[in-house]
């Protein structure tokens, strides 16, 4: 029997990036806000200390910062004709847990989707005609534009102290920046990070080939920085233990380093950790969320009434919670009807290694978003006529560190073990760069999320089931990017290169990215989307769903910048409009 | 010498409670608490007892592991073998602890074979997988009077490992040889290149071989030092010899 | 500091004028259901109050009353805060208007008698853990203003626990002898504010921590503000000494430190955290500047210590540790990131003759105080689990003698002694369950 608690104005389910952003915004508006996080409290000096943070085995291979799958995981399969089996070990994507979520172990890569990315369907239709979008490709336009989000991208970039160089200031292209980006109103808050040797060699070769290299925008502060909330971040020291690790000296942006010092002082904000929400509760007519039910670490259940219910957990957990709570119509791939679980997408990546004999690159010096990139082949920045795919991605050399268990780039022909392997790695470890490609994934009718019929989590509830594979569109696009990467890699002047294209079906084992998107997408039409442009549920107006669940398809960029901008956009609508007419739809259905 | 707690329970291979992973704190509530902090408190790692005896491997298993380590990463002029680096001891301690038990893995059934893209589906956690696989390998090799792995010539051992890697060794029973080789190689690489507090990479020798500087945190002075050899020796979480006052 | 022999004759009266602090955070048990750090009651803006009450409110901020009379989780001013002194634990009194357990029955004369003479309403001597030797310097009018302010504090029924003082220290009468040695009521008090000296010597009672003590716990005459040891911390000199004190600081530096908890030279943490949280961060800019002027001009009579060149082998080991472990925040040249991570060259914490605070930071870590102006509690992690006594001694000796710094070397035995008292067993946070 759940103990009923006193009501709160707003309850947030999950306390990572979107939870912290929304909590800060709503408490500023005077609301009494409660955040429920099933993981632990974590903070820099006690949990991410630089006295032991540089532990590759513990953090990358034993997954100490990530979600424990014995508690909760998902099942995966490439096609509906297969039986989904549990993802028993983390691989392809690294789910976060605890305060700060995956925002604690991310790279800090902060991008803005292109203006055309927000209108992927109409833009590609207009430029390339109907044949460019196969029937089973279910991409949709976002209901917002780049211009709608511009001030909110800016807000997140200034919150984090992003280090970068603007490429388009109010329509004027700036040298040294990304000429393809959407127009921004002002420069980045911090100058770019110092660029190590490998990425500069890429930049030089790319420029010689007529491409447009620029420094990757990084939520790794290039200098000590105080953000608009008054929170202080330190200077990045290029330690090389960034992504998959937590930052030990306050220089990587996270909820802890950008928002929590201010938020955790407020009397109208409460955080409860080790409190797992098991259900969003609805009124009898299903049109109002009355609050949530959660359990603590002892298994005791509590009913938490709230005026406003906001799902701010990771996309996969948000979707599962909607399904388990019976909210919205579950998606059926056979009919194409329903919206919850629809348009799941991901990211497709590849790389080309460059081996030098004469250049010491010291690849162990790194930061999560440190590198030189080109967007010449991202989005619709190039003519796709005759190529057989839409979308694109960025190409570049990111130097994030070279932890030795993870980093075994050996040339073609070198075996994976034995004397020849050893000779190769001893010779090449310090002198190898990797040109990466990071490509979009379009939504497809057969890629979706639902509940698994067989497997259960530690609480006995059905796991989420993920049915996903790359389609021809993604493979053609990724191969194209790999070829472009190889051209530049050759021009970098090494002894040899080795291309590592992404082949075959999506494999859950090798780490790729934690860029899962979709499942409760935003849109203009309740028949084909779960939320409106403000992330407000069409069916339940006092329920908002934050995160990359909103993406109708993924673009060729890391999602966090756009996720944060959408969160600020929604928060603004809640503060200025929703709270004045609470429980009302912000967009007529 | 670091002051870490050495977890005697893991050393003795006993029961449930873990090295650095006893269950988390109870549910907590924070209102206007600021950033909660406690003196003298942090999530520091638990070092492993490095005394040279196995707590998990039986003598037969140890013989196989040591022989396999010696072939997967052999000794030569560039650096030590995986055996010399301590990989067998490392793996022994890992399999005796939370990793071996699969504490973070999802181990609920039913278990199926899985497609090539569905990853680890073995019905054992790593400790059980190693145990079952080593047993199956031994039976496979000694059937019809053949020598066990550790008594074969190096070339013969390499040939077998290559077969195992390619999925050509038919071990029978439930053991997927190709999947086991992947796990074994992964574990040996971990034991070769990990921080020495876990038993492998002894003397930081593997890091010295490739030029990895170890557990450092301030590289600001080296970002723009293009083509310059890195001047500092490697250091582990437990320190390096220069930390001690000499003489 | 030598402990006096217990049960000794005559002179045995001690009682620490040592309101040693444990920060609210440090008292929190695991799991951390922590006490609020909402602004102190004294700083909360209130509906119209009389000028006298408003003055009393501000004086209570100057006096940092809540720093001792609030306990974690308790109502403001209800007392019960355990002050650890070398002589035992003394619990602060309930200053709310409750007639039975607080001061609700006290008259203005009673209040004045406590502040000026160290005498309780029932005539008993107060232990100088309540710093009446400093509060004696305020005027009657100021005392009345404070009294008027305290009259507005809602009654809370709470009886603090009995003090834990061993015999004969629990005999209040013995305070009379202590007073003969160390206390003289001020017969011509001047109003505060009247320059920084009056704040510092009066309500501010800075010397209660920052002045060295005799073995009986009284201020060492002639050595005002030359550093004090308390509860395994060393409060540095607040003098014009350029190494061990504030000689290199400007007045705005001092004001910024007290207001925001950090400046270009130092971050405030540990025992100063509560002082800044309850008191100095709410002072007026004029008062902070006055304090700064006074302290910076205050000469030091402490003998400059001998600082022979430290053992080069110790320095070499210390440098290796420093480069590997400390540089990521404090930088290879020690200059760190001022107002974020404090610089080490020229720092008083680094060069104080008594290295206790420096060593304790290394062993246990420390958390910079969060203030409204600077809410980020940038913290130093603990190294006690990682570095042994010789290593801590080496790196401490290294920072004390590099980049122009000069201070006596630290020995492994110094570290071992402190470790036994404050960091014997490092607490290892467990891995998460989810």
């Amino acid at each position: 029997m759940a103990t009923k608690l006193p009501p709160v104005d707003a309850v947030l389910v999950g306390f990572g990036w979107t939870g912290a952003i929304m909590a800060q915004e709503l408490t500023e508006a005077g609301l009494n806000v409660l955040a429920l996080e099933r993981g632990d409290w974590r903070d820099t000096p006690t949990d991410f200390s630089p006295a032991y943070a540089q532990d590759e085995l513990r953090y990358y291979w034993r997954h100490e910062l990530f979600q424990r799958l014995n508690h909760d995981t998902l099942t995966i399969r490439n096609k509906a004709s297969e039986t989904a089996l549990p993802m028993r070990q983390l691989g392809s994507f690294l789910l976060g847990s605890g305060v700060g979520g995956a925002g604690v172990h991310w790279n800090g890569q902060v991008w803005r989707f292109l203006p055309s990315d927000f209108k992927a369907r109409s833009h590609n239709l207009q430029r390339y005609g109907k044949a460019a979008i196969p029937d089973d490709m279910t991409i949709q336009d976002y209901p917002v534009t780049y211009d709608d989000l511009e001030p909110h991208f800016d807000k997140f970039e200034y919150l984090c102290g992003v280090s970068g160089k603007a490429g388009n200031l109010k329509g004027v292209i700036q040298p040294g920046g990304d000429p393809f980006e959407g127009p921004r109103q002002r420069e980045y808050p911090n100058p770019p990070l110092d660029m190590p040797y490998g990425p500069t060699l890429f930049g030089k070769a790319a420029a010689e080939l007529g491409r447009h290299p620029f420094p990757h925008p990084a939520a790794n502060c290039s200098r000590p920085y105080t953000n608009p909330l008054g929170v202080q971040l330190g200077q990045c020291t290029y330690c090389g233990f960034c992504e998959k690790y937590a930052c030990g000296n306050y220089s990587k942006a996270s909820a802890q380093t950008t928002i929590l010092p201010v938020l955790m002082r407020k009397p109208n904000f409460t955080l409860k950790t080790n409190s797992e929400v098991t259900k969003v509760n609805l009124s009898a007519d299903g049109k109002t969320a009355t609050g949530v039910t959660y359990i603590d670490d002892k298994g005791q259940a509590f009913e938490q009434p709230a005026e406003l219910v906001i799902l701010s957990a990771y996309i996969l957990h948000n979707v599962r919670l909607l399904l388990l709570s019976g909210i919205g119509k579950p998606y059926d791939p056979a009919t194409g009807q329903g919206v919850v679980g629809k348009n799941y997408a991901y990211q497709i990546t590849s790389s080309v290694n460059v081996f030098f004999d004469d250049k010491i690159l010291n690849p162990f010096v790194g930061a999560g978003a440190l590198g030189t990139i080109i967007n010449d082949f991202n989005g619709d920045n190039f003519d796709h006529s005759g190529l057989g795919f839409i979308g694109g991605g960025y190409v570049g050399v990111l130097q994030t560190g070279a932890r030795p268990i993870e980093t075994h780039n050996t040339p073609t022909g070198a075996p994976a073990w034995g004397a020849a392997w050893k000779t190769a790695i001893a010779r090449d470890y310090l002198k190898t760069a990797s040109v990466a490609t990071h490509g979009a994934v379009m939504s497809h009718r057969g890629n979706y999320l639902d509940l698994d019929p067989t497997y259960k989590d530690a609480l006995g509830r059905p796991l989420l089931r993920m049915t996903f594979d790359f389609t021809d569109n993604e493979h053609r696009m990724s191969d194209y990017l790999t070829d472009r990467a190889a051209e530049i890699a050759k021009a970098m002047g090494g002894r040899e290169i080795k291309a590592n294209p992404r082949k075959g079906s999506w494999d859950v084992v090798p780490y790729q990215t934690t860029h899962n998107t979709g499942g409760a997408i935003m849109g203009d039409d309740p028949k084909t989307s779960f939320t409106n442009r403000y992330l407000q549920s069409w069916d339940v107006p006092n329920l908002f769903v934050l995160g990359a669940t909103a993406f109708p398809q993924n673009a060729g960029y890391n999602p966090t910048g756009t996720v944060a901008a959408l969160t600020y956009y929604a928060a603004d609508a809640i503060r200025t409009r929703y709270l004045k007419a609470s429980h009302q739809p912000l967009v007529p259905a | 010498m670091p002051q870490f707690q050495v977890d005697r329970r893991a050393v003795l291979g006993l029961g449930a409670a873990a090295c650095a992973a006893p269950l988390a704190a109870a549910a907590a509530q924070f209102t206007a608490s600021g950033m909660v902090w406690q003196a003298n408190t942090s999530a520091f790692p638990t070092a492993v007892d490095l005394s040279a005896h196995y707590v998990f491997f039986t003598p037969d298993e140890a013989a196989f592991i040591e022989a396999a380590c010696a072939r997967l990463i052999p000794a030569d002029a560039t650096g030590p073998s995986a055996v010399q680096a301590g990989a067998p001891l490392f793996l022994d301690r890992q399999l005796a602890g939370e990793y071996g038990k699969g504490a973070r893995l999802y181990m609920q059934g039913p278990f199926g074979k899985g497609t090539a893209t569905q990853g680890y589906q073995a019905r054992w956690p790593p400790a059980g997988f190693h145990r079952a696989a080593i047993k199956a390998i031994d039976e496979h090799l000694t059937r019809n009077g053949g020598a066990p792995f550790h008594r074969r010539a190096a070339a013969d051992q390499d040939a077998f490992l290559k077969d195992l890697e390619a999925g050509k060794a038919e071990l029978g029973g439930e053991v997927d040889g190709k999947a086991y080789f992947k796990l074994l190689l992964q574990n040996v690489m971990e034991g070769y290149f990990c921080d020495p507090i876990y038993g492998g990479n002894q003397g930081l020798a593997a890091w010295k071989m490739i030029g990895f500087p170890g557990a450092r945190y301030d590289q600001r002075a080296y970002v723009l030092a293009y083509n310059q050899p890195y001047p500092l020796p490697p250091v582990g979480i437990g320190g390096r010899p220069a930390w001690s006052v000499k003489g | 500091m030598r402990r006096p022999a217990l049960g000794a004759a005559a002179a045995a009266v001690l009682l620490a004028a040592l309101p040693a602090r444990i920060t609210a955070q440090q008292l929190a048990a695991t799991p951390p259901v922590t006490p609020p750090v909402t602004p102190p009651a004294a700083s909360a803006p209130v509906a119209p109050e009389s000028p006298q009450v408003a003055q009393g409110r501000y004086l209570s901020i100057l006096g940092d009353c809540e720093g001792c009379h609030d306990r974690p989780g308790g109502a403001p001013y209800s007392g019960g805060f355990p002050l650890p002194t070398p002589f035992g634990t003394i619990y602060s009194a309930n200053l709310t208007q409750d007639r039975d357990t607080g001061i609700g029955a006290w008259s203005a004369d009673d209040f004045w008698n406590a502040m000026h003479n160290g005498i309780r309403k029932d005539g008993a001597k107060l232990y100088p853990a309540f710093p009446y030797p400093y509060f004696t310097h305020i005027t009657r009018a100021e005392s009345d203003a404070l009294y008027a302010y305290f009259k507005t504090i809602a009654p809370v029924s709470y009886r603090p626990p009995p003090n834990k003082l061993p015999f004969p220290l629990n005999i209040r009468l013995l305070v009379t002898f202590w007073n003969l040695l160390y206390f003289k009521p001020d017969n011509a008090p001047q109003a505060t504010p009247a320059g920084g000296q009056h704040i510092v010597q009066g309500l501010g009672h800075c010397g209660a921590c920052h002045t060295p003590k005799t073995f009986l716990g009284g201020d060492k005459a002639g050595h005002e503000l030359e550093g004090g040891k308390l509860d395994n911390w060393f409060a540095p000199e607040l003098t014009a000494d350029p190494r061990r004190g504030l000689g290199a600081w400007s007045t705005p530096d001092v004001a910024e430190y007290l207001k925001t908890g950090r400046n270009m030279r130092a971050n405030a943490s540990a025992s100063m955290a509560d002082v800044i949280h309850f008191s100095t961060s709410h002072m007026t800019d004029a008062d902070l500047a006055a304090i700064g002027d006074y302290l910076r001009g205050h000469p030091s009579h402490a003998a400059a210590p001998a600082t022979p060149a430290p053992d080069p082998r110790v320095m070499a080991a210390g440098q290796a540790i420093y480069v590997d472990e400390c540089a990521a925040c404090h930088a290879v040249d020690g200059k760190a990131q001022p107002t974020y991570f404090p610089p080490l060259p020229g720092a008083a914490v680094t060069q104080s003759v008594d290295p206790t605070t420096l060593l304790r930071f290394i062993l246990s870590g420390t958390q910079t105080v969060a203030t409204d102006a600077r809410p980020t509690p940038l913290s130093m992690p603990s190294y006690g689990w990682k570095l042994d006594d010789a290593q801590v001694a080496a790196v401490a000796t290294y920072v004390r003698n590099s980049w122009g710094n000069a201070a006596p070397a630290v020995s492994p035995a110094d570290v071992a002694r402190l470790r036994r008292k404050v960091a014997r067993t490092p607490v290892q946070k467990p891995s998460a369950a989810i």
Side-chain angles (χ1 to χ4, degrees), chain A residues 417, chain B residues 71 149 151-163:
Chain A
W417 53 276
Chain B
R71 298 317 306 157
F149 184 86
R151 277 209 265 281
R152 292 177 178 233
D156 210 2
Q157 292 173 326
D158 284 353
F160 174 72
L161 288 171
K162 287 196 183 96
D163 280 350

Side-chain angles (χ1 to χ4, degrees), chain C residues 111-134:
Chain C
F111 192 87
W112 166 249
N113 206 13
M115 294 292 287
H116 193 76
N117 297 314
I119 296 172
R120 224 165 49 179
K121 178 178 169 67
D122 65 3
K125 297 276 191 293
L126 290 164
Y127 289 115
F130 173 65
Y132 58 86
Y134 296 87

Side-chain angles (χ1 to χ4, degrees), chain B residues 2-5 20-22 24 32-33 35-38 40-42 44 46 216-218 220 235 237 240 242-243 246-247, chain C residues 28 30 32 34 36-38 313 317 321 324-325 327-328 364 366-367 384-388 423 425 427-431 433:
Chain B
Q3 307 263 338
F4 310 41
Q5 297 172 12
S33 64
M35 300 300 277
V36 168
W37 173 85
Q38 283 171 276
N40 197 27
T41 303
S42 65
F44 59 84
T46 302
R216 294 183 172 291
Y217 223 73
D218 183 10
R220 283 174 288 191
V235 62
I237 289 171
R240 58 182 165 111
W243 286 14
K246 298 199 191 353
Chain C
T30 312
T34 51
V37 296
T38 38
R313 297 168 306 170
I321 297 168
D324 295 351
E325 293 301 300
S364 302
T366 191
Q367 181 185 46
W385 62 274
K386 181 172 192 172
L387 301 175
D388 64 24
T425 309
V427 177
Q428 184 182 40
K429 275 201 72 173
S431 187

Side-chain angles (χ1 to χ4, degrees), chain C residues 53-82:
Chain C
V53 169
Q55 186 200 12
R57 171 191 301 283
Y58 185 71
L59 292 173
S60 80
I61 285 171
L62 290 185
D64 190 18
C65 306
E66 284 189 76
C68 287
H69 289 277
D70 282 11
R71 73 181 179 287
Y77 291 111
S78 59
F81 185 87

Side-chain angles (χ1 to χ4, degrees), chain C residues 83-268:
Chain C
L83 290 145
T85 79
F87 312 107
T89 302
I90 294 179
Y91 291 89
S92 60
N94 181 342
L95 299 185
T96 71
Q97 286 299 299
D98 190 79
R99 296 188 67 85
D100 180 36
T101 62
I103 59 170
W106 287 35
S107 66
D109 286 341
D110 294 330
F111 192 87
W112 166 249
N113 206 13
M115 294 292 287
H116 193 76
N117 297 314
I119 296 172
R120 224 165 49 179
K121 178 178 169 67
D122 65 3
K125 297 276 191 293
L126 290 164
Y127 289 115
F130 173 65
Y132 58 86
Y134 296 87
F135 296 159
T136 192
H137 294 299
I138 67 171
T139 64
R140 179 67 200 235
E142 290 172 322
S143 173
D144 287 344
L146 275 165
Y147 177 78
Y149 168 65
F150 279 111
K151 285 308 275 176
T152 69
I153 307 295
V156 173
S157 176
Y158 171 77
R159 194 176 304 282
N163 294 332
K164 295 196 181 88
L165 295 167
F167 179 86
L169 310 179
N170 54 351
I171 301 175
R172 286 185 183 265
L173 190 55
L174 297 180
V175 176
T176 309
F177 293 104
W178 190 91
N179 285 348
L180 285 174
L181 292 169
Y182 298 116
F183 174 58
K184 206 182 357 207
D186 185 343
N187 291 322
Q190 295 176 36
T192 327
Q197 176 171 358
H198 288 276
I199 298 176
V200 171
Q201 290 183 341
L203 284 172
H205 68 284
C206 310
C209 296
H210 286 273
T211 297
K213 305 287 179 271
T214 67
F215 81 103
L216 293 176
D219 285 355
K220 266 199 184 129
H223 288 282
E224 186 195 5
L225 299 176
E226 289 172 12
K229 182 94 180 265
L230 57 141
D231 188 37
N232 298 304
W233 287 108
F234 181 73
E237 289 195 33
L238 299 181
T239 66
D241 188 277
R243 283 194 188 282
R244 307 181 309 272
L246 303 173
W249 292 34
S250 68
T251 291
D253 284 338
V254 177
E256 186 183 353
Y257 176 90
L258 294 174
K259 191 167 192 80
T260 73
R262 66 216 69 191
N263 63 17
M264 296 294 286
R265 306 183 184 277
N267 286 19

Side-chain angles (χ1 to χ4, degrees), chain A residues 7-27:
Chain A
V8 295
D9 294 331
V11 66
L12 289 158
V13 179
F15 198 53
W17 262 129
T18 61
I21 288 173
M22 185 57 78
Q24 170 63 14
E25 293 299 303
L26 295 183
T27 50

